[in-house]
Amino acid sequence: MTQKTNDSKLLVCNCQRSMDIDAAGLSKALGFSDKIVVHQELCRSGISAFESGLASGHPLHVACTQEAPLFLEIASEQESEAELRFINIRETAGWSEAKSSVMPKMAALLADASYEPEPATTLTLESKGMCLVYGSGQAALDTAASLEGRLSVTVLLSDADDAIPPNVVAQPIYKGKIRAARGALGRFEVVVDGYAPVLPSSRGSLEFAMPRDGASAKCDLILDISGGHPLFTGHGRRDGYISADPNNPGAVARAMFEISDLVGDFEKPRYIAYDASICAHARSGKVGCSNCLDVCPLGAISPNGDSVLIDPAVCGGCGNCAAACPTGAASYAVPRRGDLVNRLGIILDTYIGAGGTHPRIMFHDEKHGTELIGAIARFGRGLPANVIPVRVNSTLMIGHDTIAAALALGADQVAILCSPEHPEELETLRAQCQLARTIVSALGYEGDRIVMIDEHDPDSLENGLHDQTELTAMTRNAFSALGSKREVARIALTKLHERAPTPTQLVALPEGAPYGRIVVDVSGCTLCLSCVGACPANALGDNPERPELSFTEAACVQCGVCVATCPEKVISLEPRYDFSPQALTPTVVKFEEPFNCIRCGTPFGARSSVERVVERLKGHSMFRDAGQLDLIQMCDTCRIETLANSGNDPFAGGERPRVRTTDDYLSAEAEAARTGKAPEDFLN
């Protein structure tokens, strides 16, 4: 028997009674009318239940990940088109010293699995197997020979001293050193200095033709066994580029095995969705925000005028850019922000509804996090009953908005389990945690509400999770995850503020925070309004009726474009978070009475600016005539009319010549016949 939820069916197994599963409690928590049947050996003696679920044609959710390959094989043999989804409730919940008290967490994990996120778009990378083997001497030639028949190989020798000329040249051989490389799987391009083809007459050693610098070549794959500095930053995640230590035969063999499989068409998710219209990178050549450019470890982002360009083929999906982006122009798509917040709502709602208390959300990734969780479940005490693991593609995509949403939805704590493999890439996540921690602490929420765990030791992780001090319970709030990054963050922070122990209105934030106000030295501001036109977030505004500068704090992303644009250099940034309603409405920073046109009375410009210009130009050689100074004190229309009527209009032409008519020509011919002159002599 299978239980049905919505249009899907659920199969649960206690894995040969190694878990205590409260079937009645689980059924109630998930809203099943019938009691869930808990199988004891679904992958063996209970396989008929799985086959029956396949036959129904409904999506099938199986609470087991260990035997997923077996279930997939059976589905393939039966040519079933049923959608299969596998949920781990064993290592994440059941295998724990908490035993039967993990039912609320099991229910939350199963409810989460039923959520249908918006799928990410993909791009296709095509590799025809054109591989460049870059290395030194005979080792590179031997490696290339081993790949023959699997790939179309070209050899580039950085050093050819110990290379022996082959009897049969099966692969093109060149000498040179790669100066620069760019691209990704299927579209690499390298620039080579000292580029020279091998001479076919090479006898005892390889000889080469005249070398040249700056040669360019393209390939689909690069196997780098040169032993030098990697050709790409974050080289371990550049699709199609594999680097191995030439002194480690095992590493070279693994690299050869891996690169041999990179032939054909490959679907890759577009990890980042980008909206250039709200990007705060630059305006009119004045650079403000460069967060995404600064934190991308693979160099997948480049400037593109006032916005940036993200190469999805190079992007490794770390998510640093999405976490650091102040506007949400770069947002993570695997999963999308709205989907992740909705999932958190389902998880916490189900957990609390099933009787769970003091929930703690722990974000983790598939590779590092799943392995550590599995290790402490198999060899230790397992996860505490109130620690709910939430798997994401990359923990580096977690921003302060997601953290605030989780807390506002009822989580007592948000922990982020991240890999320490690339410590330099954790700075963005650390800054996002600190930003959220600053606001939450200022509101009076005590204890370690936000924890970043860059741990690789299962024992340390286990002890850290179990030794946590119980925190004061957070209030469960329900809200929609619709809107931009800033809108979701503001909603979540407002919910936290409403229930805060100390609801402070203003919170000072660390430098670089994406919230705050601008401070204008109004005595030096001329109301030129250059900052208004430059502001990418529309936080600065003007007034068509009079000279005025206004500012909406909630819209300001602290990008600094206004600071770079201001000709008087009177603007500075003050990072802070303002919870008051005034932050949502425009506030006048400076205004002046307009100057009235001395000819028609129409208001234009700021009075102080016009009067200052007139005063400074008095006595100037070009403005000795009072009429010239009057022009400065006129509106655009009057100024043009005055110039046009002055006789000195630079656009005025001479008198238009009279148009010749047929009568003119007839008259000229008659006069020519009478006088014997040419007709042209009588045409004016």
Side-chain angles (χ1 to χ4, degrees), residues 373-389:
I373 292 170
I376 64 177
R378 290 174 179 274
F379 305 108
R381 292 177 284 174
L383 294 178
N386 65 336
V387 172
I388 308 171

Side-chain angles (χ1 to χ4, degrees), residues 657-661 664-665 667-668 679-684:
R658 190 175 67 84
V659 178
R660 291 174 180 174
T661 66
D664 293 328
Y665 284 99
S667 176
E680 289 79 8
D681 293 336
F682 299 97
L683 291 173
N684 296 327

Side-chain angles (χ1 to χ4, degrees), residues 462-480:
E462 177 186 308
N463 292 333
L465 292 175
H466 281 273
D467 293 344
Q468 287 277 329
T469 303
E470 187 175 286
L471 300 169
T472 304
M474 298 290 285
T475 302
R476 170 88 171 98
N477 298 282
F479 57 89
S480 172

Side-chain angles (χ1 to χ4, degrees), residues 361-376 383 387-398 413-421 426 429 433 450-458 460-462 465:
I361 294 293
M362 184 175 74
F363 293 107
H364 70 93
D365 62 12
E366 171 65 30
K367 182 181 177 183
H368 177 74
T370 299
E371 289 179 357
L372 279 183
I373 292 170
I376 64 177
L383 294 178
V387 172
I388 308 171
V390 178
R391 192 181 71 191
V392 292
N393 186 67
S394 170
T395 54
L396 299 183
M397 56 82 68
I398 302 297
Q413 182 188 74
V414 175
I416 306 170
L417 176 59
C418 46
S419 171
E421 183 179 359
L426 300 179
L429 177 59
C433 289
I450 302 150
V451 180
M452 182 175 161
I453 310 171
D454 51 340
E455 186 60 71
H456 64 271
D457 180 14
S460 296
L461 173 63
E462 177 186 308
L465 292 175

Side-chain angles (χ1 to χ4, degrees), residues 617-637:
L617 290 179
K618 282 181 179 179
H620 191 279
S621 59
M622 295 182 65
F623 292 90
R624 289 175 181 172
D625 183 359
Q628 296 296 324
L629 288 174
D630 288 346
L631 289 174
I632 299 174
Q633 302 173 73
M634 296 181 189
C635 67
D636 292 345
T637 301

Side-chain angles (χ1 to χ4, degrees), residues 176-198:
K177 292 189 176 181
I178 296 179
R179 181 212 308 169
R182 62 185 179 190
L185 176 68
R187 56 175 184 83
F188 285 109
E189 184 175 354
V190 295
V191 178
V192 181
D193 288 339
Y195 174 81
V198 70

Side-chain angles (χ1 to χ4, degrees), residues 648-659:
N648 295 321
D649 185 359
F651 299 103
E655 183 179 353
R656 182 178 179 182
R658 190 175 67 84
V659 178

Side-chain angles (χ1 to χ4, degrees), residues 119-462:
T121 58
T122 61
L123 72 155
T124 301
L125 302 179
E126 180 185 8
S127 168
K128 296 180 179 179
M130 297 177 60
C131 178
L132 176 67
V133 174
Y134 179 49
S136 176
Q138 191 61 38
L141 294 178
D142 291 343
T143 300
S146 299
L147 292 172
E148 183 63 28
R150 297 177 177 85
L151 301 172
S152 177
V153 179
T154 297
V155 183
L156 181 63
L157 298 176
S158 57
D159 184 352
D161 288 347
D162 67 341
I164 301 173
N167 293 327
V168 178
V169 180
Q171 305 91 20
I173 302 173
Y174 300 88
K175 184 180 179 181
K177 292 189 176 181
I178 296 179
R179 181 212 308 169
R182 62 185 179 190
L185 176 68
R187 56 175 184 83
F188 285 109
E189 184 175 354
V190 295
V191 178
V192 181
D193 288 339
Y195 174 81
V198 70
L199 294 175
S201 59
S202 299
R203 188 174 180 181
S205 61
L206 290 178
E207 298 180 2
F208 298 87
M210 183 72 69
R212 64 186 177 93
D213 293 341
S216 177
K218 297 180 179 180
C219 58
D220 297 324
L221 309 165
I222 299 177
L223 177 56
D224 183 359
I225 53 172
S226 64
H229 191 75
L231 301 179
F232 300 98
T233 58
H235 61 278
R237 289 162 290 173
R238 178 73 61 127
D239 295 328
Y241 173 74
I242 300 176
S243 176
D245 182 357
N247 298 315
N248 185 339
V252 174
R254 287 191 296 272
M256 292 169 56
F257 181 79
E258 182 179 347
I259 207 165
S260 296
D261 288 336
L262 298 181
V263 180
D265 292 343
F266 300 88
E267 294 294 320
K268 179 178 181 178
R270 293 181 181 268
Y271 295 106
I272 302 298
Y274 177 65
D275 182 358
S277 67
I278 58 173
C279 179
H281 172 57
R283 288 296 183 274
S284 303
K286 300 291 186 180
V287 176
C289 175
S290 60
N291 288 0
C292 61
L293 295 163
D294 296 338
V295 302
C296 179
L298 302 187
I301 308 177
S302 57
N304 184 36
D306 286 346
S307 58
V308 299
L309 188 65
I310 302 177
D311 189 339
V314 175
C315 175
C318 71
N320 261 331
C321 60
C325 181
T327 65
S331 61
Y332 211 73
V334 192
R336 300 178 190 275
R337 180 184 307 105
D339 286 327
L340 182 54
V341 174
N342 288 338
R343 284 178 56 198
L344 291 172
I346 291 171
I347 289 170
L348 291 165
D349 202 25
T350 305
Y351 176 85
I352 295 171
T357 59
H358 297 288
R360 293 154 59 191
I361 294 293
M362 184 175 74
F363 293 107
H364 70 93
D365 62 12
E366 171 65 30
K367 182 181 177 183
H368 177 74
T370 299
E371 289 179 357
L372 279 183
I373 292 170
I376 64 177
R378 290 174 179 274
F379 305 108
R381 292 177 284 174
L383 294 178
N386 65 336
V387 172
I388 308 171
V390 178
R391 192 181 71 191
V392 292
N393 186 67
S394 170
T395 54
L396 299 183
M397 56 82 68
I398 302 297
H400 70 279
D401 52 316
T402 304
I403 295 171
L407 294 173
L409 288 168
D412 284 4
Q413 182 188 74
V414 175
I416 306 170
L417 176 59
C418 46
S419 171
E421 183 179 359
H422 302 284
E424 71 282 358
E425 296 178 16
L426 300 179
E427 290 308 310
T428 299
L429 177 59
R430 189 169 285 112
Q432 291 294 304
C433 289
Q434 183 57 40
L435 172 59
R437 192 179 293 116
T438 298
I439 298 175
V440 170
S441 297
L443 295 179
Y445 294 102
E446 298 179 350
D448 294 330
R449 300 287 176 174
I450 302 150
V451 180
M452 182 175 161
I453 310 171
D454 51 340
E455 186 60 71
H456 64 271
D457 180 14
D459 291 334
S460 296
L461 173 63
E462 177 186 308

